[in-house]
Each structure stands twice: as C-alpha cells, then as structure tokens.
C-alpha cells in the first residue's frame, strides 16, 4: 500500500505524543533548495525553511559533499574524549565572525536551547550572580531554564507549572502595540526597584530580532541603551542569535548592524545547513569562567555537523549570500509594503534583511490570528508553506532559503497575494 499524507498522519497520531505539534499535515519525500516534494508527489515552495534552518537551502550540494567526506572518516568520538580538527576549525571561524574587537572562544553544542542554557551557565559563573533578565515575546528554547526565559506561555510551557526562578521579564519595544523604547528601558529599571538589585543580575538576554515574538526588530539605539545599562551595572549582555544568525538578516550576525557588541552570542539553526549544531561564542575570559568538565555534551559539536557548518561558511562566501539576503529582503519588503497599501488588514510590514514578516489586524484594529491561520492553510493548498508567529499568532513570517531563485520567490509572493484577495 502506497502511503499518503492522511495515512501517515494516522500513524503519527498513534506513535507520537500530541505535544509535538505539526503546522502542516504534510510528509516530505524529497527536497531540493527551496522546493519540497511530499509523499503524494505534491510540490511546495518552502517559505518556512525548517524554521530558519535552511538559509543555504535543502541539501546544498557543497554541504552534502562535505558530510559524505566526513562520513568516510569518523562520525563520533565525543570531543571531550578524543578531539577532532573540524570542531577547532569551526570555533576559529566563529570567533572571527562574531562581532567584537576582543579575544573570543566558542563552545559547540547541539541545539539552540542548549546554547542559551550554556550561555546562562557561563554568565552565572563569570559574574557570581544568578538573575537573568529576558523580554516579553522572546523565545529562547524548550528546556526548563530556557522556558523560564521564553516570554510566551501558550503553548510552550502551558500545563507544566511554574518554571525555574531568578528570571525577570522586561517589555520589548513594539510601537504597533504601544510599547516605546523608553517604556522598555523603564521596565528594566522597574525590575531593579521591585524584584532584584542590579548586583544580583548575571545577564540580560535579547534577540536582536525577535523570532517567535513576531520579527520585532531592536533598533541600534535600543541595543546601545541596553549595552550602556549592562556596562553600568556589570551585567553581561547575551545576544540570542539562534534565528537571526547565519546570514538571515544581511550580516552573518544581526548584532553587526546594532553598533554594539554582546559579551556572549548564541547561534544554531542555519549555521550547519540542516544538521544539528549550536554554540556560544564570547569574550575569552568570560568563556573560561567554568572549570574543565563543566561544559560539553556527548554529541556536542558532532564532527558531521561541524563539517556541514564549515561548508555552509564557504557557501556564504562563494555565493555572496549576505548580499543576496539584503537584496531578497528589499524585494520582499517592497512587495509586502505595496500589498499593505491595498489591504488594510496588513497592519505592519517589518524585518531586517531577509528576515521579513507582516502583521494582520481585524477591521476594527485588533490582532487577527484567525486570518493568519486561514492564510497559512490557503497558501498550502496553493503550494506554498508559511509559518505564523507573534504573541497573538497573527504574524506571517517569511524564511525562504537565501538560495531560492527570484522566480520561486515571486511565485510564493503571488500565492500570498492571491490568498489574501480570496480571504
């Protein structure tokens, strides 16, 4: 019997817990660059990119070639037992790419959650403090500590009880929803007045562009104010670049566009072109705060993933993908802004580089998650995979591979336009 999406969904429901969500009831058979083919032979333009993992597209030939070469040598030793050169080479590359004119060191792990969790561990060890400030709408992972930092309860921590303490929530600037930069800074000062003294705060963690929070962009001015506040109180600034990193915003790390540097930077997702890899890069003296044995993991910095990541960095250089990200971003922004002029339901178009989103409102000026949901379904029926996000689930984000052709991007945008016209 030939499997189809419906039969595979039935198997999935029997075997996989319902807590593992699935946005599209589609099962992939094969993918190339920006196109997915499902088990029924249907083709989809991929504007989701595995949630920002596929900046270099599905199965980039150079990445696949590097992985095959590594598979012929060795696949695992555990770096803490027997080391290997690709781990060191990748750390050297990341140290040169992360913004900051100071000596750096890099830790490799497996997932974005692990990276953020380890960044907090390092900050606590380096400062001797325990508190962390994070932002409403921020997303930092699904482990217990990162769930405490993630500023959205449903669905991420719903029903699980209270998360670990010592995490304090500040507001994130969002003019559309009435939060100014002054309001955001005031909320941090309020934490210092009512919840924790500055000397108890180890780190302030911020996404330069909020991912799950709706692609809300921190301005350079706001980031500079955060840097000044951290410097005043001896707090470490952690830039969570898990989603913004690996070139999505038009620079390899978004902080390059902010006019300040972070003390610690986390990265993951697209850095290895679809293979699991993440890490923390930061000031050498801060990264060395933890004694030998306090960092690492069995699969942390897997050699196959390291080989993939080194190939991704070569692809970015050889194919000028940072320039492509800026060009693609301009194209998407212009197209969506033109659409917004004709459709009042699009309340705002925003983004940085090719990290672009638009927010949907009802006619009476309220967030419209229902329209966003219907748009995702309608687009899929026409052959386009989209993702929604935002605190109100009313934002459509575009994470098409940077390697997608103009023709594919144009076709995807035409589908969005047609769906909105129909809805």
């Amino acid at each position: 019997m030939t499997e189809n999406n419906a039969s595979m969904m039935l198997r999935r429901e029997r075997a996989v817990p319902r807590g593992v969500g699935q946005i599209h009831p589609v099962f992939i058979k094969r993918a190339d660059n920006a196109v997915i083919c499902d088990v029924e032979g249907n083709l989809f333009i991929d504007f989701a990119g595995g949630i920002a993992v596929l900046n270099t597209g599905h199965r980039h030939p150079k990445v696949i070639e590097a992985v095959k070469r590594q598979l012929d040598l060795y696949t695992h030793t555990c770096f803490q037992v027997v080391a290997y050169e690709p781990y060191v080479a990748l750390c050297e590359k990341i140290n040169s790419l992360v913004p900051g004119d100071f000596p750096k060191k890099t830790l490799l792990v497996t997932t974005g959650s692990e990276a953020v969790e380890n960044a907090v561990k390092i900050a606590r060890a380096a400062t001797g403090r325990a508190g962390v400030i994070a932002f409403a709408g921020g997303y930092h992972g699904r482990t217990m500590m990162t769930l405490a930092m993630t500023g959205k309860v449903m669905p991420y921590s719903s029903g699980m009880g209270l998360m670990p303490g010592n995490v304090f929530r500040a507001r994130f600037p969002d003019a559309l929803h009435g939060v100014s930069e002054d309001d955001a800074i005031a909320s941090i000062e309020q934490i210092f007045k009512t919840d924790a003294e500055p000397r108890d705060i180890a780190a302030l963690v911020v996404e330069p562009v909020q991912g799950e929070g709706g692609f809300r962009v921190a301005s350079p001015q706001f980031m500079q104010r955060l840097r000044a506040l951290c410097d005043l109180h001896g707090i470490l600034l952690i830039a969570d670049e898990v989603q913004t990193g690996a070139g999505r915003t038009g620079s390899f790390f978004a902080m390059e566009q902010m006019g300040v540097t972070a003390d610690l930077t986390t990265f993951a997702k697209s850095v290895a072109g679809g293979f699991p890899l993440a890490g923390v890069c930061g000031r050498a003296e801060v990264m060395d705060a933890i004694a030998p044995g306090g960092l690492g993991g069995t699969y942390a910095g897997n050699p196959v993933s390291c080989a993939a990541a080194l190939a991704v960095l070569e692809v970015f250089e050889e194919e000028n993908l940072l320039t492509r990200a800026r060009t693609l971003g301009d194209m998407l922004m212009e197209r969506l802004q033109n659409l917004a002029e004709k459709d009042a339901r699009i309340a705002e178009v925003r983004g940085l580089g090719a990290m672009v989103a638009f927010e949907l409102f009802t006619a009476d000026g309220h967030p419209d998650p229902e329209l966003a949901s219907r748009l995702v379904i309608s687009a899929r029926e026409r052959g386009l995979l989209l993702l929604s996000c935002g605190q109100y689930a009313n934002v459509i984000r575009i994470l098409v591979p940077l390697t997608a052709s103009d023709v594919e991007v144009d076709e995807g945008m035409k589908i969005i336009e047609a769906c909105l016209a129909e809805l």
Side-chain angles (χ1 to χ4, degrees):
M1 175 183 171
T2 303
E3 294 276 20
N4 57 29
N5 288 316
S7 64
M8 288 298 299
M9 284 298 292
L10 286 174
R11 288 176 58 189
R12 179 197 195 284
E13 288 168 8
R14 296 189 192 105
V16 181
R18 68 189 186 100
V20 181
Q22 185 174 339
I23 296 164
H24 298 288
V26 170
F27 279 78
I28 187 171
K29 182 177 182 181
R30 182 181 175 85
D32 290 290
N33 197 11
V35 177
I36 285 175
C37 177
D38 74 5
V39 292
E40 298 175 10
N42 302 307
L43 298 179
F44 301 90
I45 299 171
D46 187 3
F47 269 29
I51 313 185
V53 168
L54 298 165
N55 290 351
T56 52
H58 291 272
R59 299 173 57 251
H60 191 287
K62 193 174 187 76
V63 175
I64 298 303
E65 180 186 351
V67 166
K68 287 180 177 178
R69 284 199 307 269
Q70 184 59 48
L71 287 172
D72 286 335
L73 299 173
Y74 52 90
T75 62
H76 177 74
T77 64
C78 183
F79 186 76
Q80 298 99 268
V81 178
V82 175
Y84 35 90
E85 193 270 346
Y87 186 115
V88 178
L90 181 58
C91 290
E92 291 170 339
K93 291 277 191 182
I94 294 296
N95 290 341
S96 69
L97 287 169
V98 167
D101 186 19
F102 44 78
K104 306 184 196 79
K105 291 188 176 183
T106 292
L107 159 74
L108 299 180
V109 288
T110 310
T111 69
S113 297
E114 248 188 302
V116 176
E117 189 109 353
N118 275 278
V120 171
K121 285 165 51 180
I122 293 164
R124 289 177 60 151
T127 63
R129 306 172 178 183
V132 175
I133 294 176
F135 287 91
Y139 178 86
H140 301 289
R142 296 175 187 267
T143 59
M144 294 294 279
M145 184 66 190
T146 56
L147 274 179
M149 297 159 63
T150 291
K152 187 177 181 181
V153 172
M154 181 63 75
Y156 302 114
S157 58
S158 178
M160 301 173 198
L162 298 177
M163 293 298 114
N166 300 324
V167 175
F168 305 95
R169 189 91 55 221
R171 303 176 78 187
F172 193 87
D174 184 356
L176 183 65
H177 293 276
V179 182
S180 70
E181 292 184 3
D182 286 343
D183 293 332
I185 295 296
S187 71
I188 298 173
E189 298 291 354
Q190 186 68 25
I191 289 170
F192 294 155
K193 288 185 176 69
T194 62
D195 297 299
E197 291 183 283
R199 64 181 177 179
D200 292 321
I201 302 299
L204 186 151
V205 185
V206 61
E207 297 166 280
V209 183
Q210 287 196 330
E212 170 62 22
F215 285 24
R216 299 188 292 179
V217 183
S219 73
Q221 294 76 21
F222 180 66
M223 200 64 75
Q224 288 159 21
R225 292 176 74 177
L226 293 183
R227 178 73 271 178
L229 187 149
C230 287
D231 289 342
L232 176 64
H233 297 296
I235 297 168
L236 295 180
L237 179 62
I238 299 177
D240 183 343
E241 296 239 26
V242 167
Q243 190 161 158
T244 55
R248 172 56 56 176
T249 66
S251 52
F252 201 82
F253 290 101
M255 287 297 287
E256 296 173 54
Q257 302 177 54
M258 298 301 171
V260 296
T261 56
D263 300 296
L264 296 169
T265 298
T266 63
F267 58 92
K269 291 195 180 280
S270 274
V271 75
F275 290 83
L277 187 78
V280 185
C281 178
R283 295 181 181 274
E285 71 276 13
V286 174
M287 294 295 292
D288 279 338
I290 293 182
L295 297 174
T298 303
Y299 293 103
N302 173 268
V304 178
S305 294
C306 287
L310 288 166
V312 164
L313 297 180
E314 290 181 11
V315 170
F316 262 89
E317 187 172 339
E318 293 170 2
E319 300 185 15
N320 298 312
L321 289 188
L322 294 181
T323 299
R324 172 60 176 166
R326 294 189 289 271
T327 302
L328 180 58
D330 290 343
M331 184 191 316
L332 292 169
M333 290 287 285
E334 181 180 5
R335 193 77 169 259
L336 288 169
Q337 285 165 348
N338 289 338
L339 183 58
E341 290 176 5
K342 305 169 191 171
D343 192 332
R345 295 173 298 176
I346 299 178
E348 187 171 74
V349 176
R350 56 180 178 262
L352 188 65
M355 193 170 178
V356 176
F358 57 98
E359 185 158 356
L360 298 168
F361 272 26
T362 60
D364 58 354
H366 293 95
D368 196 344
E370 182 184 350
L371 176 58
S373 177
R374 290 165 60 207
L375 175 56
V376 169
I377 294 169
S378 179
R380 181 179 67 241
E381 292 171 348
R382 293 172 181 256
L384 175 68
L385 299 181
L386 290 174
L387 294 172
S388 61
C389 64
Q391 285 187 288
Y392 305 98
N394 66 321
V395 178
I396 300 295
R397 52 180 158 175
I398 297 177
L399 290 164
V400 62
L402 305 179
T403 49
S405 69
D406 286 354
V407 171
E408 290 164 332
V409 175
D410 177 65
E411 179 60 28
M413 292 305 301
K414 285 179 178 175
I415 291 173
I416 291 174
E417 291 162 358
C419 290
L420 281 172
E422 182 182 82
L423 295 170

